[in-house]
């Protein structure tokens, strides 16, 4: 796309050209624009002349040279030239804008922001800098200001396709999905050949729950750019969620073929392999989760060397650090006592809110807080979710399948006494997972509370809500609110995991969607029925009604996408049979 400096409010350089630099990581990409003087055509060779003193290069020549280094990917030389120009006091908005771009790529976001703001100060009508500033602010987590800056770029240049595209990514992150769709469609209208815009539109459709449109848009991106690794990776995820697993795997492998260093594609492939039961390759590829643009979050800043051996070494002290969600810690902490029994010298860092439960369950009598773990200076460390790889966990080799979580006798008795007032069987229910996870990687796992009313039509039971935080507000308008235990307000105010384990211990049955409650109850060996969407998280596989992870658990799977009523009808029948069996 070409524009003139007259358009940007300056006349000292006759013409500039803009180049898009895609960020090829994550679900959705953004465009950053750098500016360059259009290089002059090379002159014809002239006849040799007498040697003369070399002339001092002009400011324009130095700027041009800096930009040429930048475009050729010689970033160290480009930095030298840009910094020289800045140190010499040259007030050129292109220089500050382009230097800000390099700083952004180097991860120096605050410095990138300062440099880009200087470009805007030098030229307040510089749309490119406002757009670039928007992407920098987005990466800094300042989405509201990023939106303002990007909208200013569009105000200055209403035909700026890249700015509309970037605005779409920002609006998507803000959760304004319909506006994100409109902005991205505008980018496509202005540049119908933008593969990135079609790919980004596909990711917006994913968040909107429209997988068919997501597939169409992402395939269009691939049609426009057959070497677009990110689009192939996104398509693989879409096809997996649509149940087209064979083609999903082909698409993910194509992404890796195009870009053999593409961590996101390997990570996505691992989830598909594990879902299909290929644990050997799946657990190997799952290690790429720490190398993606949005890596799996461990719960401490560790100074130790991360273990990278083929197997764990008993000779070294080993710090195991939890990662991701509470359910992940509850599921995988079972391996800590197992390794300790195998004479490994282990320390365990986990989320502080789980410490009392970890101690009561004899997983670790002295678990470390994240702050304590960051001070450990001896040995090596390993992420908790890497232990299945090292232990070669498989359905046929579960390592630990017996119950490993427990509350204490005092709390168990307390809640036994409280709940003994209830005369009917008590069923603990949980219906809503984290909305953040729901938006990104596990859309559709939660169940509207009202659907649980089906269970009451044919069964004489009392319900007990284990829901905490988001989703618990559904209780306020619940049509069967009077069917919950009398002490429900007391339970709602109980957030401690150790005490919630005691509450679960005194239920006759737990029915839940895929949340931490499933892992808590399953780890305790309680009878738990897990209700799963059509394509569930990889842990649960695709077909079986039971799982090697928790022998006391029964799986109820959606037969039709989004159809929870049919699932709940089957659960109701199963409860009736269960009650007759216990009579």
């Amino acid at each position: 796309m070409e524009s003139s400096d007259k358009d940007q409010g300056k006349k000292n350089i006759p013409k500039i050209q803009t180049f898009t630099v895609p960020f090829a990581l994550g679900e959705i990409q953004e465009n950053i624009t750098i500016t360059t003087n259009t290089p002059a055509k090379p002159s014809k060779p002239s006849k040799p002349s007498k040697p003369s003193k070399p002339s001092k290069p002009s400011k324009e020549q130095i700027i041009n040279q800096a930009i040429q280094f930048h475009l050729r990917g010689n970033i160290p030389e480009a930095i030298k030239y840009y910094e020289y120009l800045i140190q010499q006091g040259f007030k050129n908005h292109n220089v500050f804008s382009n230097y800000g771009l390099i700083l952004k790529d180097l991860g120096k976001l605050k410095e990138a922001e300062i440099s880009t703001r200087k470009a805007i100060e030098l030229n307040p009508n510089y749309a490119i800098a406002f757009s670039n500033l928007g992407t920098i602010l987005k990466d800094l987590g300042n989405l509201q200001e990023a939106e303002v800056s990007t909208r200013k770029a569009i105000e200055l240049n209403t035909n700026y396709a890249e700015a509309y595209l970037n605005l779409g990514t920002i609006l998507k992150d803000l959760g304004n999905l319909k506006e994100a769709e409109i902005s991205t469609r505008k980018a496509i209208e202005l540049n119908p050949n933008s593969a990135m815009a079609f790919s980004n539109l596909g990711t917006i459709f994913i968040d909107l729950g429209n997988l068919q449109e997501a597939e169409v848009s992402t395939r269009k991106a691939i049609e426009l750019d057959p070497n677009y690794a990110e689009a192939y990776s996104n398509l693989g995820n879409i096809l997996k969620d649509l149940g087209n697993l064979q083609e999903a795997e082909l698409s993910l492998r194509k992404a890796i073929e195009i870009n053999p260093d593409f961590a996101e594609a390997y990570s996505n492939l691992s989830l598909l392999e594990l879902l299909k039961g290929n644990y050997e390759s799946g657990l190997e590829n799952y290690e790429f989760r720490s190398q993606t643009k949005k890596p799996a979050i461990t719960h401490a800043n560790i100074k130790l060397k991360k273990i990278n051996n083929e197997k764990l070494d008993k000779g070294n002290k080993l710090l195991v650090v939890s990662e991701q969600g509470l359910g992940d810690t509850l599921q995988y902490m079972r391996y800590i006592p197992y390794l300790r029994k195998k004479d490994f010298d282990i320390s365990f860092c986990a989320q502080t809110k789980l410490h009392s439960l970890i101690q009561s369950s004899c997983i670790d009598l002295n678990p470390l807080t994240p702050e304590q773990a960051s001070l450990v200076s001896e040995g090596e460390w390993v992420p908790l979710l890497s232990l299945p790889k090292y232990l070669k966990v498989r359905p046929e080799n579960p390592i630990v399948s017996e119950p490993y979580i427990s509350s204490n006798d005092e709390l168990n008795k307390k809640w036994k006494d409280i709940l003994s007032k209830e005369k009917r069987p008590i069923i603990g229910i949980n219906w809503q997972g984290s909305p953040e996870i729901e938006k990104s990687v596990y859309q559709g796992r939660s169940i509207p509370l009202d659907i649980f009313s089906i269970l009451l039509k044919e069964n004489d039971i009392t319900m007990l809500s284990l829901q905490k935080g988001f989703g618990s507000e559904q209780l306020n308008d619940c049509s069967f609110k009077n069917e919950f235990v009398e002490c429900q307000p007391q339970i709602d105010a109980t957030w401690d995991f150790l005490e919630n384990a005691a509450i679960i211990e005194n239920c006759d049955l737990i029915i839940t969607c895929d949340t931490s409650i499933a892992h808590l109850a399953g780890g305790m060996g309680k009878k738990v029925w897990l209700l799963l969407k059509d394509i569930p998280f990889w842990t649960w596989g695709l077909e079986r009604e039971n799982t090697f992870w928790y022998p006391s658990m029964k799986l109820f799977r959606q037969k039709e996408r989004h159809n929870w009523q049919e699932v709940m009808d089957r659960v109701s029948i199963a409860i009736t049979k269960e009650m007759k069996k216990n009579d």
Side-chain angles (χ1 to χ4, degrees):
M1 181 180 84
E2 293 191 351
S3 63
S4 69
D5 255 341
K6 184 177 180 181
D7 295 334
Q8 303 296 344
K10 291 274 186 176
K11 298 182 180 179
N12 57 326
I13 300 174
K15 205 172 190 180
I16 62 171
Q17 187 176 4
T18 64
F19 295 80
T20 56
V21 182
F23 287 84
L25 290 174
E27 292 183 348
I28 191 160
Q29 295 83 48
E30 38 185 64
N31 267 290
I32 287 283
T33 310
I34 68 173
T35 58
T36 176
N37 292 59
T38 304
K41 294 181 180 179
S43 57
K44 294 180 180 179
S46 58
K47 294 180 180 180
S49 59
K50 293 180 181 180
S52 61
K53 292 181 180 180
S55 60
K56 186 177 180 180
S58 68
K59 179 180 75 170
E60 285 74 19
Q61 287 174 318
I62 299 172
I63 293 173
N64 233 355
Q65 186 61 65
I67 289 166
Q68 292 307 313
F69 280 131
H70 195 162
L71 291 173
R72 292 171 192 153
N74 190 342
I75 301 303
E77 286 299 312
I79 289 173
K80 286 181 187 177
Y81 274 74
Y82 286 140
E83 289 183 346
Y84 170 80
L85 288 160
I86 292 169
Q87 289 164 6
Q88 293 300 309
F90 293 150
K91 307 290 187 184
N92 183 285
H93 58 279
N94 295 329
V95 169
F96 281 96
S97 181
N98 292 349
Y99 185 52
L101 170 59
I102 291 177
L103 291 169
K104 179 186 185 298
D105 288 346
L106 293 173
K108 299 178 179 181
L109 295 177
K110 288 304 296 182
E111 293 175 56
E113 179 187 355
I114 291 167
S115 187
T116 309
R117 287 191 186 279
K118 182 64 177 178
I120 292 170
E121 179 187 321
L122 292 168
N123 186 350
N125 296 316
Y126 193 21
I128 290 168
F130 276 105
S131 182
N132 288 359
L133 178 61
T135 64
I136 293 166
L137 292 168
K138 173 181 175 291
D139 286 356
L140 282 167
N142 190 344
L143 293 176
Q144 285 78 14
E145 200 172 344
E147 179 184 354
V148 170
S149 186
T150 310
R151 288 192 186 278
K152 180 64 177 178
I154 292 169
E155 178 188 321
L156 290 167
N157 182 355
T158 55
N159 293 316
Y160 194 175
E162 291 82 3
Y164 279 105
L165 182 56
N166 291 343
L167 180 60
T169 73
I170 295 164
L171 292 169
K172 177 181 181 290
D173 286 355
L174 283 167
N176 299 334
L177 297 178
K178 290 307 294 183
E179 285 189 66
E181 178 188 349
I182 291 167
S183 187
T184 308
R185 286 190 183 280
K186 181 64 176 179
I188 291 171
E189 178 188 324
L190 292 167
N191 183 3
N193 295 317
S194 171
M196 185 181 292
F198 278 102
S199 181
N200 286 3
L201 183 60
T203 66
I204 293 167
F205 281 134
I206 292 172
D207 285 1
L208 285 167
N210 191 339
L211 293 180
Q212 287 76 16
E213 287 287 346
E215 179 185 357
V216 170
S217 189
T218 309
R219 287 190 185 279
K220 179 63 177 180
I222 292 169
E223 177 188 322
L224 289 167
D225 183 358
N227 292 312
Y228 197 173
E230 294 77 14
Y232 276 106
S233 182
N234 289 346
L235 180 61
N237 287 340
I238 294 164
L239 293 170
K240 182 191 78 171
D241 285 347
L242 284 169
N244 190 346
L245 303 187
Q246 184 174 357
E247 195 176 353
E249 182 170 346
L250 290 174
S251 191
L252 289 166
R253 293 193 182 280
K254 180 66 176 178
I256 293 167
E257 177 189 324
I258 294 168
N259 181 2
D261 299 320
F262 191 12
E264 267 80 5
Y266 281 105
S267 181
N268 292 337
L269 178 61
S270 77
L271 302 180
L272 178 58
E273 289 175 322
L274 289 164
L275 177 67
K276 294 169 69 176
N278 182 355
Y279 275 67
E280 183 175 358
S281 178
L283 289 174
E284 284 293 332
N285 286 329
Y286 192 52
E287 293 301 297
F288 281 95
R289 71 190 182 280
S290 63
Q291 301 172 38
T292 60
K293 186 178 180 183
K294 295 181 179 178
I297 299 172
T298 51
H299 299 132
N301 295 317
I302 307 301
K303 297 174 183 176
L304 304 177
K305 177 186 175 185
K306 184 178 178 182
I307 193 169
N308 58 3
N309 307 326
E310 286 300 312
K311 59 182 182 178
L312 301 176
D313 185 0
K314 288 184 182 180
N316 289 333
K317 289 186 175 182
L318 188 62
L319 172 62
V320 181
V321 182
S322 63
E323 58 174 299
Q324 302 183 56
L326 293 164
D328 297 294
T329 303
L330 291 169
Q331 180 180 0
Y332 295 104
M333 68 184 190
R334 68 180 75 192
Y335 302 118
I336 301 300
Y338 170 82
L339 288 170
R340 197 166 276 128
K341 286 177 184 176
K342 295 290 183 181
D343 297 325
F344 283 88
D345 187 355
I346 283 185
S347 299
F348 181 39
C349 167
Q351 300 99 312
T352 306
K353 63 177 65 176
L354 292 177
H355 280 198
S356 60
L357 183 65
I358 289 169
Q359 291 167 322
S360 176
S361 305
C362 295
I363 299 294
D364 194 306
L365 297 181
N366 295 291
L368 301 178
T369 65
E371 293 76 21
Q372 290 170 328
S374 67
L375 299 175
V376 175
S377 58
E378 188 178 353
E380 297 179 313
W381 80 280
V382 63
L384 177 62
L385 272 63
S386 291
L387 292 182
K389 184 195 86 160
Y390 288 108
L391 296 174
K392 301 187 185 306
V393 172
R394 309 280 189 273
E396 64 276 11
N397 183 40
I399 303 294
V400 178
S401 55
E402 65 274 9
Y404 57 93
I405 297 176
S406 60
S407 187
N408 60 44
D409 292 341
E410 181 183 349
L411 288 173
N412 284 341
K413 184 178 184 307
K414 169 187 171 180
W415 283 99
K416 181 178 181 180
D417 292 343
I418 293 172
L419 292 170
S420 64
K421 300 173 185 176
E422 303 295 335
K423 304 306 179 187
R424 297 177 294 179
I426 298 172
I427 296 184
I429 64 171
N430 185 246
W431 57 89
Q432 176 74 54
S434 163
E436 292 307 311
I437 300 297
E438 193 96 11
K439 287 177 187 175
S440 53
V441 295
Y442 207 179
Q443 195 174 80
R445 66 164 169 170
S446 296
I447 308 167
L449 173 58
D450 271 345
I451 291 182
F452 280 82
S453 64
I454 293 171
L455 306 183
L456 295 161
K457 292 178 180 177
E458 303 293 334
N459 299 293
D460 189 25
I461 57 176
T462 297
M463 289 191 175
L464 182 153
S465 168
L466 295 164
Q467 187 70 41
K468 296 290 187 290
F470 188 84
S472 57
E473 74 284 349
Q474 294 180 41
L475 268 173
N476 299 331
D477 302 316
C478 176
S479 61
F480 50 97
K481 192 174 181 179
N482 60 341
E483 301 293 341
F484 285 83
V485 292
E486 184 181 336
C487 62
Q488 188 61 58
Q490 187 178 353
I491 294 171
D492 292 341
T494 303
W495 287 70
D496 179 66
F497 269 85
L498 182 62
E499 193 149 4
N500 273 292
I503 294 169
I504 288 171
E505 181 63 38
N506 286 283
C507 291
D508 295 290
L509 172 66
I510 304 299
I511 301 177
T512 178
C513 64
D514 189 3
T515 70
S516 61
I517 291 295
H519 297 287
L520 177 56
M524 294 172 63
K526 287 293 293 182
K527 185 177 291 185
V528 52
W529 292 357
L530 178 60
L531 314 187
L532 297 170
K533 60 173 289 190
D534 58 331
I535 303 295
F537 193 63
W538 68 264
T539 304
W540 314 117
L542 288 165
E543 295 176 349
R544 299 177 67 95
E545 289 187 354
N546 56 13
T547 171
F548 76 92
W549 294 106
Y550 305 108
S552 64
M553 180 178 284
K554 183 175 181 179
L555 310 180
F556 290 80
R557 302 175 183 274
Q558 277 184 350
K559 294 181 178 180
E560 180 186 7
R561 187 175 180 82
H562 302 310
N563 189 347
W564 285 117
Q565 179 159 341
E566 189 277 334
V567 175
M568 208 63 76
D569 286 338
R570 279 187 280 130
V571 172
S572 181
I573 292 169
I575 290 176
T576 303
K577 290 180 180 178
E578 192 74 20
M579 296 305 158
K580 286 180 180 177
K581 189 167 60 176
N582 294 334
D583 284 345

